[in-house]
Amino acid sequence: MAFIDELKIYSKAGDGGDGVVRWLHEKGKEWSGPAGGDGGNGGNVYVQAVRDVYILSKYRHQKQFPAERGENGGSSSLHGANGEDLIIDLPIGSIIKNLETGQTYSLLKEGQKELLLRSGRGGYGNEHFKASTNTTPKEWTPGKPGQEGNFYIELELFADLGLVGLPNAGKSSLLNSLTKAQAKIGAYQFTTLDPNLGDLYGYIIADIPGLIEGASEGKGLGTKFLRHIKRTKMLAHLVSFENGDEMMNVYKTIRKELKSYDPELLEKDEIILLTKTDVTDEKTVQKKIKEFAKLKKPVFVISLYDDASIKSFSDELIKILKLEK
Ligand SMILES: Nc1nc2c(ncn2[C@@H]2O[C@H](COP(=O)(O)OP(=O)(O)OP(=O)(O)O)[C@@H](O)[C@H]2O)c(=O)[nH]1
Ligand SMILES: [Mg+2]
């Protein structure tokens, strides 16, 4: 299913039903008393957090989200039925902005429910206006309108581990070998256009589209997707041996781009993954391990063609993620 992480919708809470003018019907008496019921209240609009990062794509073709109107009052003092509330399910990590009022709501926990739009009250029927001085009231009031508004919904994923690195570093390949994700792999840059997610024993790994120098100024795919690692607990930074002597520079370039997007990204715990060891020799691997070890972060080397390297990284990763929780 397509991954959608932003959406604009229009929503409206239900209007109240109108009050009505009705009369008691007693034999021989035409105006024996008012009996017009009140209108029902409209339905409210809520958003609720669910554990489904793909749910926004379900709403792609639905731009309007109205809650039910209250029913009008009836004869014999019948109160109109209340309109049903509308509950819009959104993924955990959604930020919802009311474009009219500027108010924002963040859904942080599964099941969290927020009232977006308040419904209109039902109007009064003529029975409501009965008084000793007014035994045959003809007054009634219409239902009040429900609130309405346009909303911008943006998803910031909550992953346990975010994979970052240059295009072609092997991020999607790694995601596929660690999890059941079936991310597209390609021997060209920017194969990944939207974040991919995988599940490693309950830990969510997010594969972010590749970054390049100047991403913060909009080069390549820009930094649009970096918001998905803002709330990610830990980063895995992939650098391929294909970059040869440039590996450390490549690493620093990506760190610079992360920083210009949000300096806090640099504060996150990070592990370093030197990928594609199969394209180089053992001596270079050892040299690079030493060089990167100076950064005082865990360093791993992997190759897609060396199952043992993936297995031992996966085991270590689970241990590290357990400690992070
Ligand atoms: N030799 C070798 N090639 C690899 C390895 N891992 C991935 N590749 C290849 O490298 C290319 C890029 O891999 P991807 O996983 O698509 O890279 P990515 O980092 O997701 O790239 P973008 O989505 O463009 O950012 C593909 O042709 C893979 O087959 C590896 O360990 N060794
Ligand atoms: Mg990719």
Side-chain angles (χ1 to χ4, degrees):
M1 209 192 298
F3 179 80
I4 288 192
D5 58 5
E6 42 185 3
L7 193 68
K8 239 179 164 175
I9 64 163
Y10 163 81
S11 184
K12 183 175 185 323
D15 296 339
D18 297 336
V20 293
V21 177
R22 299 284 187 275
W23 304 101
L24 281 174
H25 292 289
E26 282 173 29
K27 263 204 182 130
K29 267 183 156 183
E30 209 185 333
W31 301 84
S32 49
D38 297 341
N41 299 329
N44 293 316
V45 177
Y46 296 91
V47 285
Q48 177 170 270
V50 295
R51 197 172 283 280
D52 179 354
V53 291
Y54 292 105
I55 203 163
L56 290 183
S57 53
K58 273 215 280 196
Y59 305 137
R60 230 172 339 164
H61 304 296
Q62 184 185 349
K63 294 287 178 257
Q64 309 235 340
F65 291 75
E68 246 179 25
R69 181 180 185 277
E71 275 181 22
N72 293 342
S75 47
S76 312
S77 312
L78 209 66
H79 199 284
N82 292 334
E84 223 175 283
D85 290 340
L86 174 72
I87 301 174
I88 308 172
D89 285 340
L90 296 177
I92 304 169
S94 295
I95 299 165
I96 303 109
K97 182 170 187 187
N98 183 326
L99 295 174
E100 266 72 42
T101 65
Q103 190 168 358
T104 61
Y105 311 80
S106 291
L107 298 180
L108 303 174
K109 276 196 301 211
E110 187 170 10
Q112 185 187 337
K113 196 171 154 189
E114 301 287 344
L115 175 68
L116 285 192
L117 296 167
R118 208 174 282 284
S119 66
R121 270 191 63 104
Y124 293 122
N126 64 335
E127 189 181 8
H128 177 86
F129 297 97
K130 188 168 72 177
S132 56
T133 50
N134 185 6
T135 52
T136 56
K138 297 187 186 67
E139 293 97 323
W140 63 282
T141 58
K144 295 260 190 305
Q147 294 177 329
E148 60 188 313
N150 288 290
F151 293 86
Y152 177 66
I153 301 165
E154 190 179 27
L155 173 62
E156 287 183 359
L157 291 175
F158 276 78
D160 296 288
L161 181 71
L163 307 181
V164 295
L166 278 189
N168 266 335
K171 301 179 293 296
S172 304
S173 306
L174 176 66
L175 181 78
N176 288 356
S177 35
L178 291 175
T179 73
K180 291 204 188 91
Q182 293 181 326
K184 195 171 154 197
I185 311 291
Y188 49 90
Q189 300 206 337
F190 303 116
T191 308
T192 303
L193 297 174
D194 293 310
N196 295 302
L197 295 176
D199 181 331
L200 174 71
Y201 298 108
Y203 296 104
I204 301 295
I205 303 181
D207 162 30
I208 306 292
L211 291 167
I212 56 171
E213 178 159 25
S216 47
E217 287 120 49
K219 294 234 174 81
L221 297 177
T223 49
K224 175 168 145 45
F225 296 104
L226 283 182
R227 69 165 180 272
H228 292 303
I229 52 174
K230 252 169 63 183
R231 294 183 180 177
T232 291
K233 293 190 194 123
M234 195 173 76
L235 301 179
H237 190 148
L238 282 73
V239 186
S240 163
F241 276 100
E242 285 169 331
N243 293 297
D245 290 340
E246 287 298 302
M247 287 173 83
M248 187 53 85
N249 285 338
V250 162
Y251 172 84
K252 287 184 177 152
T253 301
I254 300 290
R255 294 286 287 175
K256 213 175 95 199
E257 295 302 328
L258 294 178
K259 185 180 172 191
S260 25
Y261 177 77
D262 180 354
E264 278 183 26
L265 291 181
L266 297 195
E267 309 294 315
K268 286 188 191 294
D269 283 346
E270 186 194 59
I271 58 176
I272 296 166
L273 272 174
L274 308 179
T275 65
K276 310 195 189 183
T277 51
D278 56 283
V279 303
T280 187
D281 52 69
E282 185 56 25
K283 209 176 119 203
T284 313
V285 172
Q286 291 309 324
K287 195 175 116 196
K288 290 295 166 188
I289 291 178
K290 258 194 206 146
E291 192 182 342
F292 277 90
K294 289 187 189 135
L295 299 171
K296 306 258 180 265
K297 294 180 180 183
V299 180
F300 298 91
V301 290
I302 56 165
S303 163
L304 209 58
Y305 302 107
D306 175 4
D307 289 346
S309 73
I310 302 283
K311 171 85 175 70
S312 74
F313 168 63
S314 170
D315 291 346
E316 286 305 312
L317 178 62
I318 291 166
K319 283 186 211 158
I320 295 173
L321 288 172
K322 261 189 196 148
L323 291 176
E324 285 280 318
K325 270 216 162 161

